[in-house]
Amino acid sequence: MQPDAERAFEQMVARVDTTLDAVGEAFPYVAEPDTGAWTTTDDGNWCGGHWVGLLWLAHEYTGEDRFRTAAERATETVVASVEPRSMFYGMNANYCGFRAFDLTGEQRFREIGIDGADRTVDYFHQGARQVPLGTQPIEAPATNFRGPEADEGPSGDVLGAVDSVYTALPVLWRAYRETGDPTYRDTAVSHADRTLDWFVREDGRTWHHAEFDPETGELVRQYNELAYSDDTCWARGQGWAIAGLARAYDETGAERYLDALERTVGYYETHAPADLVPYWDFEHPDAPDVPRDTSAAGLAAYGLTRLDDSPETADLRETGDAILDSLVENYQTPTGAEDDRQPGMVIEGCYNGPAGYADANELVWTDYYVAVALANRAGVVSV
């Protein structure tokens, strides 16, 4: 029996409410699981669009203007702060721009979305056929967000990342549908096809990074930065891949994306614990004494539950539903009758496993993807 999606969504809206009271004009980033206290950033860093998206969800569901006001204020900060030469700019512009345009009809938000798509196309490396990781500084007391060794890894300008099949492409799919300009579609397809070549392995696991030659775009090497090793698999990277490939298949109907999606989901199901919420590395040798990553599960549930209702994707949607059920039943507070924490926290997210940073926390992007999946299931808002 599925949990009550609207009730679970209402709890997440309540969490947005208490978070807004707590952070003011700052951006929630990672929260302590015991207290719900947020570590914040001034500008949202790489993921501020998720907070904007949560605020719009809360506004649409409740009708309260305070959420819209906060979303508009946060949007100004995010658009001014995110580095355009990165795979994150388009994601943030999508949530700050097109999402707000759909709710309000205001052209200024549509322009943010189009600008995000344009800057993503501009940064696309034609030889590598990738929107590179880029030069966005990552807010965290950990050095291994760039390359295999601190200060010695390759520049983000010559790194492809498995994340980007989701972070960089949805704004392009949407801009194509919005304008009819084939440049957006062609860029998205070229990048997605290269993802199949460079990031999706035969057994369905994914690489984290692919370094390429800046002149020719030829592949130099593949490696894992946030996994346990090159022979294992970073769980959130797998989640990003699942979400991105699901979107690519929905947008194009191309069988090659469905095939890759089925392989990545098959690997996920085979290597995740029984409750379908993976350890931060699917094959970490110390499991089960390893933190889980609900953000990986949230991304997978989000991507799979949004697939079109067709026989070809029925099993994938069923898997997405099962992951979402597990997140709500086992990882959304309260997790039991004696859990007195505030409702709506999705706990046990792992930001950076190798560094041990925020490795069992509530993460703002997890909240966003779980909230959208629940809203879609309940049919309560227009996402």
Side-chain angles (χ1 to χ4, degrees), residues 353-377:
Y357 173 63
D359 61 2
N361 293 65
E362 180 184 15
L363 309 173
V364 68
W365 56 94
T366 312
D367 287 354
Y368 175 76
Y369 293 115
V370 174
V372 171
L374 287 170
N376 279 327
R377 176 184 285 180

Side-chain angles (χ1 to χ4, degrees), residues 23 25 60 65 87 98 130 145 147 152 157 165 207 209 212 214 224 243 247 269 293 311 347 353 368 380:
V23 304
E25 295 188 14
E60 185 180 5
D65 286 339
M87 68 179 186
F98 286 133
Q130 286 281 285
F145 280 104
E152 297 178 6
D157 286 325
V165 71
W207 288 103
H209 280 317
F212 57 85
N224 285 335
R247 181 64 178 269
E269 291 182 285
D293 186 13
I347 56 174
Y368 175 76
V380 292

